[in-house]
């Protein structure tokens, strides 16, 4: 066995080569594509935080308003001694709104891929909620993972805010809902944030902000490939595109090549026609009914749905159906 193959077994190296593999696969596919999960390196995460504060980007503001206004209604769905399990927790800012209104929550289990961020956030939560058991799990929540044994006596509620589920294709969203039903078990509650279908103008503006932050966020994917895989993308040779695909009820983001060009990526020459795009993200929009119907097919019964005053965004509560 060569030294190289031993080194490649290191988990960080595995993640790195998974990125390289996905990038090469996506850029040699037709049409070209890249996964939106790679937006979130340090720069991308900072740019996304900036996006959430933009005047055109309504989802975060609306969801926070819904959580502030209806947290106690959500709390009423939770039995005493509930563990709140958050899928892809990030900052825990939204979970705190539930924690503040739901004394039934005895344990909080943030599940996130970034172990470092998780332990820092866990320390802050333990400080701010001294009676709460904070049990972080470092895992990719789209893959099967185990819950801490100490949760066994507790009821369970899942929390999946942010309309992150909107990044999934229908089959992936269904797989996630089934997987969540299995992990959370009988009688569990799942509280999920879902962006709603609305007029194309509002939707399009949210992904084409005047300050150009979303364009930077999209282009950072190429900058990341340059940084981490030694590629030579000329960022000035690509432009941000985002539009609403009405038939598929989704925002599509692309990076369009301004000219015919070649780019060197991880030892490969990738050719672009003028105007050719890399499809970088789908952000699916649902109605309360269309999301409820999907949930029903995946082991859940819709029990409540809250929206903001403009009905731009929804937070929906589901209960695990009897097996
Ligand atoms: C984090 C997936 C909910 O789809 O609105 C924001 C990501 N992309 N602007 C979304 C995003 C461009 C965001 N989600």
């Amino acid at each position: 066995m060569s030294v190289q193959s031993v080194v490649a077994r290191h988990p960080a190296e595995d993640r790195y080569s998974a990125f390289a593999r996905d990038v090469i696969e996506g850029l040699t596919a037709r049409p070209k594509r890249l996964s939106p999960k790679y937006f979130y390196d340090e720069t991308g995460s900072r740019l996304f935080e900036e996006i959430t504060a933009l005047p055109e980007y309504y989802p975060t503001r609306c969801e926070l308003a819904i959580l502030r206004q209806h947290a106690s209604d959500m709390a009423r769905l939770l039995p005493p001694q509930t563990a709140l399990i958050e899928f892809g927790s990030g900052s825990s800012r939204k979970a705190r709104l539930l924690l503040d209104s739901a004394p039934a929550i005895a344990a909080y289990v943030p599940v996130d891929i970034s172990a470092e961020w998780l332990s820092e956030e866990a320390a802050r939560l333990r400080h701010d909620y001294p009676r709460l058991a904070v049990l972080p799990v470092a895992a990719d929540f789209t893959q099967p993972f185990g819950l801490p044994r100490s949760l066994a006596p507790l009821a369970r509620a899942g929390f999946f805010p942010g309309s992150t589920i909107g990044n999934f294709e229908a089959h992936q969203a269904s797989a996630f809902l089934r997987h969540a039903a299995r992990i959370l078990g009988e009688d569990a509650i799942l509280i999920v944030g879902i962006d709603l279908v609305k007029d194309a103008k509002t939707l399009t503006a949210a992904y084409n902000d005047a300050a150009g932050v979303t364009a930077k966020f999209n282009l950072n994917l190429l900058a990341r490939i340059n940084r981490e895989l030694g590629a030579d993308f000329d960022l000035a040779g690509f432009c941000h595109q985002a539009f609403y695909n009405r038939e598929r009820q989704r925002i599509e983001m692309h990076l369009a090549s301004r000219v015919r060009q070649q780019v060197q990526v991880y030892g490969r020459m990738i050719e672009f026609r003028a105007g050719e795009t890399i499809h970088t993200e789908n952000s699916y929009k649902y109605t309360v009914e269309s999301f409820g119907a999907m949930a029903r097919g995946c082991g859940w019964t819709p029990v409540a749905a809250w929206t903001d005053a403009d009905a731009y965004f929804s937070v929906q509560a589901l209960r695990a159906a009897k097996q």
Side-chain angles (χ1 to χ4, degrees):
M1 193 187 279
S2 69
V3 173
Q4 211 78 71
S5 66
V6 173
V7 171
R9 282 169 196 280
H10 190 276
E13 293 278 327
D14 282 353
R15 264 210 299 286
Y16 200 68
S17 57
F19 179 46
R21 189 172 14 81
D22 287 351
V23 166
I24 293 300
E25 197 182 283
L27 293 181
T28 52
R30 275 165 188 260
K32 292 179 170 63
R33 55 177 154 75
L34 291 168
S35 167
K37 73 178 176 195
Y38 293 122
F39 280 138
Y40 303 93
D41 66 348
E42 215 179 296
T43 308
S45 301
R46 184 175 49 70
L47 288 168
F48 180 68
E49 281 307 306
E50 260 183 70
I51 287 174
T52 63
L54 292 169
E56 299 93 335
Y57 194 75
Y58 60 84
T60 310
R61 237 183 337 274
C62 291
E63 186 175 42
L64 286 169
I66 296 166
L67 290 170
R68 276 190 210 105
Q69 196 172 348
H70 299 287
S72 50
D73 303 323
M74 297 172 198
R76 271 195 283 282
L77 297 172
L78 309 179
Q81 299 294 314
T82 290
L84 184 72
I85 294 135
E86 181 169 4
F87 300 99
S89 55
S91 75
S92 300
R93 180 176 176 197
K94 294 166 188 168
R96 283 169 182 261
L97 294 173
L98 288 182
L99 294 172
D100 291 339
S101 305
I105 300 173
Y108 173 57
V109 185
V111 182
D112 202 281
I113 197 130
S114 163
E116 196 187 326
W117 173 256
L118 260 179
S119 63
E120 288 168 13
E121 187 58 24
R124 284 189 284 269
L125 283 159
R126 286 188 190 109
H127 175 267
D128 297 342
Y129 300 88
R131 286 197 307 246
L132 183 71
V134 181
L135 307 162
V137 173
D140 174 353
F141 67 82
T142 62
Q143 304 298 316
F145 62 89
L147 287 175
R149 278 171 185 283
S150 54
L151 296 189
L154 301 177
R156 287 166 189 190
F159 187 41
F160 194 30
S163 197
T164 307
I165 201 169
N167 269 171
F168 299 166
E169 296 304 310
H171 74 277
Q172 296 169 317
S174 297
F176 170 81
L177 289 169
R178 287 200 194 90
H179 164 60
R182 209 162 39 240
I183 287 186
L184 298 173
E186 224 167 271
D187 287 330
I189 293 285
L190 181 62
I191 295 173
V192 50
I194 299 292
D195 195 13
L196 298 175
V197 171
K198 65 185 64 61
D199 65 286
K201 195 162 166 264
T202 304
L203 280 169
T204 307
Y207 296 84
N208 288 284
D209 61 287
V213 184
T214 308
K216 267 197 209 160
F217 175 72
N218 200 5
L219 283 160
N220 177 57
L221 199 44
L222 302 184
R224 179 178 186 184
I225 295 169
N226 284 349
R227 282 192 294 271
E228 293 186 23
L229 304 179
D232 63 357
F233 277 105
D234 170 15
L235 270 56
F238 289 84
C239 63
H240 167 71
Q241 278 183 355
F243 56 87
Y244 185 51
N245 181 331
R246 205 186 289 271
E247 291 77 58
R248 295 182 151 165
Q249 303 195 323
R250 68 189 193 196
I251 286 282
E252 292 187 16
M253 292 213 315
H254 296 258
L255 288 164
S257 180
R258 296 181 192 273
V259 292
R260 177 178 166 162
Q261 58 181 318
Q262 295 185 326
V263 179
Q264 191 96 241
V265 184
Y266 217 61
R268 300 254 195 155
M269 192 65 94
I270 309 289
E271 311 250 2
F272 288 88
R273 290 175 273 112
E276 184 177 0
T277 77
I278 309 171
H279 188 175
T280 53
E281 183 171 48
N282 286 324
S283 184
Y284 282 90
K285 311 305 170 188
Y286 292 88
T287 62
V288 169
E289 295 71 28
S290 70
F291 183 74
M294 176 163 75
R296 273 184 206 282
C298 301
W300 296 94
T301 305
V303 291
W306 300 273
T307 63
D308 55 291
D310 295 315
Y312 279 178
F313 199 91
S314 66
V315 176
Q316 306 193 28
L318 314 169
R319 191 186 298 282
K322 289 269 176 290
Q323 304 295 315

